[in-house]
Amino acid sequence: MKTLYTTLFLVIFYLVPSSLFAQESVELNGLIKDDKQTLPSATVLLYAAKDSSLVSTAITNGDGKYLIHAKTGNYYIVATSIGYNKISTKVISLNGEKTHTVPTITLAETTRSLNEVVVTSTKPVLERRADKLVFNIDATPSAAGLNALEVLKKAPGVVVDHNENISLSGKSNVLVTLDGKQTYLSQEEVVNLLKSMQSSEIESIEIMNNPGARYEANATGGVINIKTKKSKADGFNGSVALGGGYNKRPSSNNSINLNLRKKAVNVFGSYGYYTSEYEEHLEIDRITPGSANRLFFSQRNNDSSKNHSQNFKIGTDFFLSKNHTVGLLVKGNIGDWKQRGYSVTNIGSSFERADSVLKTPSNSGRDRKNFSYNINYKGVLDTAGQEITIDADYSSYDGENDAFYQNRFFLPDGSFFKDGQIYRNFAPSSINIKAIKADYVLPLSKAFKLEAGIKFASVESDNNFIFENQVGDGWLIDANRSNRFKYSEEVGAAYTTLSATLGKFSFQAGLRAENTHSIGTSVTLNEVVDRNYTNLFPSLFVSRNFNADNILNFSYSRKINRPNYQNLNPFIFYLDQYTYNQGNPNLRPEFANNFEATYLFKQKYSIALAYSHTSDIITQILLQNAALNSMYQTTLNLATDEVFSLTLNFPITFTKWWNVNNNILAYHKQLKAPNLNGYDLNSSQFTGNIYMQHNFTLSPLFSADAGIFYSTPQIDGAYNLNTFFTSDAGLRYNFPNKNGNLKLGVSDVFHSQKPRITSTLEGNEYDLKQWGTTRAVRLTFTYRFGKSTVKSERSRKTGLDDEQKRLGQ
């Protein structure tokens, strides 16, 4: 930590002053806003007054600020942004001063009907900004009809493995947020939520490898923010999307969005319904540990599942005045999942010779209800930009999980040998989350801005696992396998950030403090784990703007990842007699230090170097229990995880109708864990990912795309994932009246999503293959109706931005 503070001191007190003395041109700086908020990503054009020649360009940052360098002379500025009228300033005279602040430029929103506008350009598939990579979904026809998880798989640097764990640039434990709001769901529940969302609801995916202090500290692997579409019209309007697909079995996805906006109030809502059927196949060959009496297990699983989900949102914004807004928001997600499985396991002294065959038919299901409620306030306190936002949230989750398994043994010739264990389990759970947060912004001067915030969140969960064995014609509770687990957690957080623009440098230094008090109670085992800890999380962002075309950024942050609630539950969940899942009440939080340097050229080409060091990394792992001849999955703390990465992002335009977005990620990962299941783990792997998105403009009405993703072998925890390849393609037709479109998408064109997993841990021998009906064809119809006058809508975050991610259901 002392080294870090020394580095900060040198940066602020040495590099900054030296850069100020080196100025050779006048710096123009200013702010772009509308009547409610500052405008990021607005375009600023500087023209010479004498001949109207273009001198320089700039893009506003996340705070709506811009910086341009020019020689002495007379100029004028033209500012514009999507959905706003272009505006020109009066002539600006630069007479040798070092800096010149342009009066704030306020853009007026476009009021023409979209039916009168001829669209001549579209957003690119990928946009590289200073602190994030933006993946625009509407520019990708092959995304039509996909759910949000399937769309996420197409995002550069994002990998969703065979267990549906999400990683970013080789780092796991990624924080997934919706519209900047944390879901507070566990990894599994985040996946279920993403499966219930449709691509027609998503505007873009923002990928942030190194978020600052304002973001939740619980994000060691970075942040993936999914921005949903919002109505931007004054008056009444809406849209409807109808979709169907086929992947050996039919699927359906439908949604409707409505918006009514008047001067003093805005009412909006949406509803979506999704249903799908899916097949999955799993092959596991494993050898029990040890040198004597080794058993060989060859397991084959065939599962079929049905999923139904509904999600809705309804909200109201009350514009009390020009500068004060109060809002209410209610969201819900209801779903059920049913699965029928059949497993056949050959057991013997070799893979070629089976002494017995275990057959396990099974039925399992999961029902869930998740509701969240938000009250929010935003106030702009003065014209200088001083503002405050307050959010109060409550969220409830109720789930029911049940399963039935029948184990029967047969001889190799197929004749019945004996009955094994016949059991069933029920696992009801309930989770309640409360949070309140406040954020304050105070401009100290034209060059400095202070931000601060506080948050308090409390979580209470109650999980009951009831395990019953069949005895005769009845059922008897197995007290050794049943367990009730209760968990409570309180997190208090405070942060402050100081932003500054000094010459060609921009700085943002932040510090976040969090105190966590958690109590995990195994009621059945009468065991209590009580923890109380306080941590500091510094962050630093430095940007050097050489000119409009060359920008260099550096960032650092320290993050934490707390165990999700369900992984702390010590219960054992059996899949069959020799396969189970076990919780770990002794899990500790992991801590990561992340560094990244990014060079931007012409706002579209970039190269990024990053390094991440994580201690006590929380990892899902497959191990074998030699005493029970069983294989089980659990979650452990490994010692360290180090990742060095290089990311290249560069678009290529071949012709007016064909361009390609390219993203290349190369990283080296090393994992260490002493005495893991009796062995020392020390594995490393160099991995390369290539993502290419080809876009074709066939005519004013037709467009197409084709995406390719390829990954060399990679490691995660104690397993190795083999080479991975997938591709998608899509075709889009826009109706001439601009009110709708028709999209045809094909996912996993070559049916190549068949991951193969092997162990990297000595003495833990297994070979796992998994694949499903990932190749699918989907057709989606979207229609917009009502008034289409462009009108900006405010954006906001709720207080539930951390805890739901960890529900663990």
Side-chain angles (χ1 to χ4, degrees):
M1 186 62 69
K2 182 178 179 180
T3 302
L4 173 63
Y5 290 145
T6 302
T7 302
L8 293 176
F9 180 88
L10 291 175
V11 169
I12 295 174
F13 291 96
Y14 176 75
L15 293 179
V16 174
S18 64
S19 69
L20 294 177
F21 287 113
Q23 302 303 311
E24 297 179 354
S25 60
V26 181
E27 295 180 352
L28 281 84
N29 62 79
L31 180 72
I32 307 294
K33 63 185 288 294
D34 63 8
D35 61 348
K36 291 185 177 65
Q37 59 190 5
T38 59
L39 295 177
S41 302
T43 301
V44 182
L45 307 174
L46 182 67
Y47 290 92
K50 62 179 180 179
D51 57 5
S52 295
S53 60
L54 181 64
V55 176
S56 185
T57 63
I59 302 294
T60 58
N61 62 16
D63 297 321
K65 295 181 179 180
Y66 63 89
L67 180 67
I68 300 178
H69 294 85
K71 299 179 180 179
T72 57
N74 296 323
Y75 304 90
Y76 67 91
I77 286 177
V78 175
T80 183
S81 185
I82 296 175
Y84 294 85
N85 292 321
K86 184 185 299 183
I87 191 172
S88 299
T89 67
K90 296 179 180 179
V91 173
I92 302 168
S93 297
L94 304 180
N95 299 316
E97 65 266 43
K98 292 184 178 181
T99 62
H100 183 95
T101 300
V102 180
T104 298
I105 299 174
T106 302
L107 299 183
E109 297 156 324
T110 304
T111 57
R112 292 178 298 168
S113 169
L114 291 179
N115 290 332
E116 302 171 4
V117 179
V118 177
V119 179
T120 58
S121 63
T122 60
K123 285 185 178 181
V125 175
L126 296 175
E127 294 180 86
R128 180 71 206 197
R129 299 179 185 172
D131 61 340
K132 69 185 71 171
L133 181 67
V134 180
F135 178 38
N136 293 306
I137 305 306
D138 272 348
T140 312
S142 63
L146 300 179
N147 62 48
L149 183 66
E150 293 166 328
V151 171
L152 199 58
K153 294 178 181 179
K154 298 167 66 68
V158 178
V159 175
V160 182
D161 69 14
H162 67 291
N163 284 326
E164 297 180 329
N165 296 311
I166 301 170
S167 63
L168 175 60
S169 298
K171 299 181 293 181
S172 56
N173 301 318
V174 178
L175 174 62
V176 178
T177 61
L178 299 178
D179 295 320
K181 309 170 186 63
Q182 191 168 339
T183 63
Y184 291 91
L185 297 170
S186 70
Q187 175 80 33
E188 184 177 348
E189 270 307 312
V190 166
V191 167
N192 291 332
L193 178 62
L194 295 179
K195 287 180 179 179
S196 69
M197 292 180 60
Q198 301 309 303
S199 60
S200 59
E201 304 174 50
I202 302 173
E203 178 180 324
S204 63
I205 296 174
E206 298 176 338
I207 300 170
M208 292 169 276
N209 284 291
N210 212 3
R214 182 166 184 169
Y215 290 89
E216 302 288 345
N218 197 47
T220 56
V223 172
I224 297 175
N225 181 44
I226 298 176
K227 293 184 66 176
T228 59
K229 293 180 179 177
K230 301 178 179 65
S231 177
K232 298 180 180 179
D234 195 16
F236 173 75
N237 73 348
S239 65
V240 61
L242 304 174
Y246 186 77
N247 63 352
K248 290 188 178 181
R249 301 186 180 188
S251 64
S252 174
N253 54 90
N254 311 281
S255 64
I256 184 170
N257 292 270
L258 301 173
N259 184 78
L260 176 63
R261 182 162 184 157
K262 297 298 183 182
K263 291 183 178 180
V265 65
N266 183 35
V267 181
F268 54 93
S270 64
Y271 172 78
Y273 177 77
Y274 171 74
T275 178
S276 68
E277 297 186 35
Y278 191 78
E279 292 182 6
E280 188 171 62
H281 306 279
L282 176 68
E283 297 181 356
I284 305 177
D285 292 330
R286 64 183 179 90
I287 306 173
T288 57
S291 57
N293 301 320
R294 306 180 78 188
L295 289 178
F296 291 73
F297 289 76
S298 183
Q299 180 177 339
R300 302 294 181 264
N301 284 50
N302 295 297
D303 302 322
S304 61
S305 60
K306 295 182 179 181
N307 182 41
H308 303 272
S309 62
Q310 304 175 72
N311 56 77
F312 70 87
K313 175 177 67 176
I314 183 168
T316 305
D317 288 328
F318 298 98
F319 305 105
L320 305 179
S321 67
K322 181 179 179 180
N323 295 328
H324 299 275
T325 304
V326 173
L328 306 173
L329 181 65
V330 179
K331 296 191 296 182
N333 181 264
I334 303 171
D336 66 88
W337 172 85
K338 305 295 181 185
Q339 178 174 284
R340 295 177 61 89
Y342 189 73
S343 172
V344 178
T345 304
N346 292 324
I347 307 171
S349 56
S350 70
F351 288 127
E352 292 75 26
R353 178 181 178 181
D355 299 322
S356 62
V357 180
L358 172 63
K359 297 182 180 180
T360 307
S362 63
N363 290 285
S364 56
R366 177 175 58 239
D367 297 324
R368 68 184 186 279
K369 295 179 181 179
N370 186 200
F371 301 101
S372 61
Y373 311 87
N374 169 261
I375 301 175
N376 58 85
Y377 163 78
K378 180 177 181 180
V380 179
L381 307 182
D382 55 31
T383 57
Q386 185 179 190
E387 65 179 46
I388 185 172
T389 58
I390 301 173
D391 284 271
D393 295 87
Y394 173 75
S395 179
S396 66
Y397 176 91
D398 291 288
E400 291 280 351
N401 295 272
D402 58 78
F404 170 82
Y405 295 89
Q406 183 180 25
N407 295 277
R408 306 187 73 190
F409 289 90
F410 295 80
L411 297 176
D413 62 7
S415 59
F416 176 73
F417 176 49
K418 66 175 181 177
D419 277 325
Q421 299 175 357
I422 301 175
Y423 51 85
R424 65 184 185 185
N425 56 257
F426 307 92
S429 61
S430 64
I431 302 175
N432 294 289
I433 305 169
K434 302 171 186 176
I436 185 168
K437 65 187 288 283
D439 298 288
Y440 174 68
V441 179
L442 175 64
L444 300 175
S445 67
K446 294 179 179 179
F448 291 90
K449 182 177 71 173
L450 180 69
E451 296 180 67
I454 58 174
K455 175 184 173 181
F456 178 79
S458 68
V459 179
E460 293 183 354
S461 69
D462 191 343
N463 303 273
N464 199 9
F465 186 77
I466 304 169
F467 192 101
E468 296 181 339
N469 292 310
Q470 187 178 46
V471 180
D473 295 330
W475 294 91
L476 183 64
I477 292 180
D478 189 335
N480 294 323
R481 297 182 180 181
S482 300
N483 183 43
R484 186 179 180 186
F485 180 75
K486 303 178 71 175
Y487 182 83
S488 64
E489 180 181 274
E490 294 181 347
V491 177
Y495 77 89
T496 183
T497 63
L498 178 65
S499 303
T501 301
L502 302 172
K504 295 182 179 181
F505 282 90
S506 295
F507 299 89
Q508 185 186 86
L511 182 65
R512 187 180 186 93
E514 292 191 354
N515 172 261
T516 304
H517 182 207
S518 64
I519 301 176
T521 304
S522 176
V523 178
T524 306
L525 302 177
N526 195 26
E527 294 178 351
V528 177
V529 178
D530 191 333
R531 290 196 175 108
N532 194 329
Y533 50 93
T534 301
N535 302 103
L536 297 177
F537 303 97
S539 65
L540 174 67
F541 181 84
V542 182
S543 179
R544 175 67 157 86
N545 191 340
F546 297 94
N547 52 48
D549 291 336
N550 297 275
I551 300 174
L552 182 63
N553 300 317
F554 169 80
S555 61
Y556 162 78
S557 68
R558 183 173 188 255
K559 297 294 182 182
I560 186 176
N561 181 49
R562 302 178 183 89
N564 77 49
Y565 319 128
Q566 197 67 6
N567 283 342
L568 294 168
N569 191 339
F571 79 86
I572 296 177
F573 181 84
Y574 283 85
L575 301 178
D576 63 35
Q577 193 162 326
Y578 295 104
T579 312
Y580 62 92
N581 186 307
Q582 183 172 5
N584 181 4
N586 298 312
L587 280 175
R588 303 179 301 277
E590 68 177 36
F591 294 89
N593 289 283
N594 302 312
F595 302 82
E596 184 176 56
T598 304
Y599 171 68
L600 289 168
F601 179 63
K602 292 188 175 181
Q603 294 291 328
K604 60 180 180 179
Y605 304 100
S606 68
I607 179 171
L609 289 170
Y611 169 73
S612 174
H613 181 278
T614 306
S615 59
D616 287 333
I617 181 169
I618 300 172
T619 308
Q620 280 192 349
I621 194 167
L622 285 172
L623 296 172
Q624 296 201 59
N625 186 325
L628 299 177
N629 292 323
S630 298
M631 186 176 199
Y632 67 100
Q633 178 176 285
T634 190
T635 305
L636 299 174
N637 288 106
L638 304 187
T640 59
D641 175 14
E642 287 188 319
V643 180
F644 293 88
S645 67
L646 171 67
T647 304
L648 301 175
N649 184 67
F650 55 98
I652 299 176
T653 300
F654 292 109
T655 66
K656 292 182 179 180
W657 54 270
W658 179 18
N659 66 79
V660 184
N661 288 279
N662 303 280
N663 184 274
I664 298 176
L665 167 66
Y667 66 91
H668 181 269
K669 185 173 187 177
Q670 183 165 26
L671 285 159
K672 294 181 180 180
N675 194 24
L676 178 60
N677 212 36
Y679 297 91
D680 290 338
L681 175 67
N682 187 353
S683 60
S684 61
Q685 177 71 56
F686 175 83
T687 301
N689 293 341
I690 299 175
Y691 174 80
M692 301 175 63
Q693 184 77 25
H694 295 257
N695 304 283
F696 308 94
T697 304
L698 306 178
S699 74
L701 300 180
F702 282 96
S703 61
D705 76 320
I708 299 173
F709 175 80
Y710 175 82
S711 175
T712 63
Q714 56 186 291
I715 59 172
D716 189 3
Y719 68 74
N720 177 77
L721 176 65
N722 69 334
T723 297
F724 183 80
F725 165 76
T726 187
S727 60
D728 306 290
L731 181 66
R732 173 173 177 163
Y733 170 72
N734 293 312
F735 297 141
N737 62 8
K738 311 295 183 184
N739 284 338
N741 58 67
L742 194 64
K743 298 178 183 177
L744 176 67
V746 182
S747 60
D748 195 13
V749 176
F750 301 102
H751 201 205
S752 56
Q753 291 190 33
K754 299 180 179 180
R756 180 177 178 180
I757 309 298
T758 55
S759 175
T760 60
L761 181 63
E762 184 181 356
N764 192 36
E765 299 181 55
Y766 64 82
D767 190 326
L768 183 152
K769 300 176 185 177
Q770 189 173 27
W771 70 95
T773 49
T774 51
R775 180 164 57 187
V777 179
R778 298 174 176 88
L779 184 66
T780 303
F781 165 75
T782 302
Y783 180 74
R784 297 181 294 274
F785 54 87
K787 193 176 180 180
S788 53
T789 307
V790 176
K791 184 74 172 178
S792 292
E793 179 178 309
R794 73 189 184 105
S795 60
R796 63 173 182 260
K797 295 183 179 181
T798 74
L800 295 181
D801 286 352
D802 185 50
E803 286 74 16
Q804 287 190 17
K805 154 181 183 266
R806 301 163 50 219
L807 284 179
Q809 298 300 311

